[in-house]
Amino acid sequence: MAQKYIPPQQRKIGQIFDVACLLVMVFAVLFVPVWLKIAVPSRVRVLPATVQLTEGTDADGNPTQTWTGLTWEAIGQNATMQERWQALGYTVEGAADIVTQPFDYTLDVGGIAITGVVILGYFVFVLVLSRREYKDVIAEKFE
């Protein structure tokens, strides 16, 4: 009969180190892609044919926008939509700045594949490091 498995005891400092490592990894996974600008949706301005936008700066260096041919209808907003925009405090210029920059949610197949490989690699890493413990537990339970 196999010897009864007794799991190793981890000290408090080891537990604190493990938690700190997990927090750093979660922080890195969530924020590094944003800092590298690889996890943000792209926004490209798409103007209707009758609308033109000139961007510049004023004397103080602040950005300015000058719209020509801009109407609610030109940016595809009907009377109900116009009413809702105005209820939210937007002018036609403010709404056009939002409406003419749709989000592009194109999937990055390479990024998804890399994520899958990293997850699979981590799983294999955990199995390889835990191999002895898993064998001992299985031997105790099934032999």
Side-chain angles (χ1 to χ4, degrees), residues 6-66:
I6 300 171
Q9 296 294 318
Q10 186 177 25
R11 295 183 301 157
K12 291 287 183 197
I13 191 72
Q15 291 177 353
I16 291 170
F17 178 76
D18 287 348
V19 169
C21 286
L22 287 172
L23 285 174
V24 166
M25 286 190 294
V26 167
F27 183 79
V29 165
L30 293 176
F31 289 106
V32 168
V34 174
W35 287 334
L36 296 176
K37 300 198 185 302
I38 59 175
V40 293
S42 71
R43 294 185 76 179
V44 178
R45 190 174 300 278
V46 180
L47 294 174
T50 59
V51 177
Q52 293 180 351
L53 171 64
T54 306
E55 295 182 308
T57 55
D58 62 10
D60 296 329
N62 299 320
T64 60
Q65 295 180 332
T66 306

Side-chain angles (χ1 to χ4, degrees), residues 43-124:
R43 294 185 76 179
V44 178
R45 190 174 300 278
V46 180
L47 294 174
T50 59
V51 177
Q52 293 180 351
L53 171 64
T54 306
E55 295 182 308
T57 55
D58 62 10
D60 296 329
N62 299 320
T64 60
Q65 295 180 332
T66 306
W67 297 87
T68 55
L70 183 62
T71 63
W72 288 105
E73 293 77 23
I75 59 172
Q77 305 298 300
N78 61 31
T80 304
M81 293 174 176
Q82 176 184 351
E83 182 182 318
R84 295 291 92 208
W85 281 109
Q86 289 172 337
L88 292 170
Y90 284 94
T91 62
V92 68
E93 291 83 7
D97 198 34
I98 296 169
V99 171
T100 60
Q101 294 187 65
F103 287 104
D104 179 19
Y105 292 104
T106 305
L107 290 178
D108 179 13
V109 177
I112 293 172
I114 290 171
T115 302
V117 168
V118 168
I119 291 170
L120 184 62
Y122 177 74
F123 179 70
V124 169

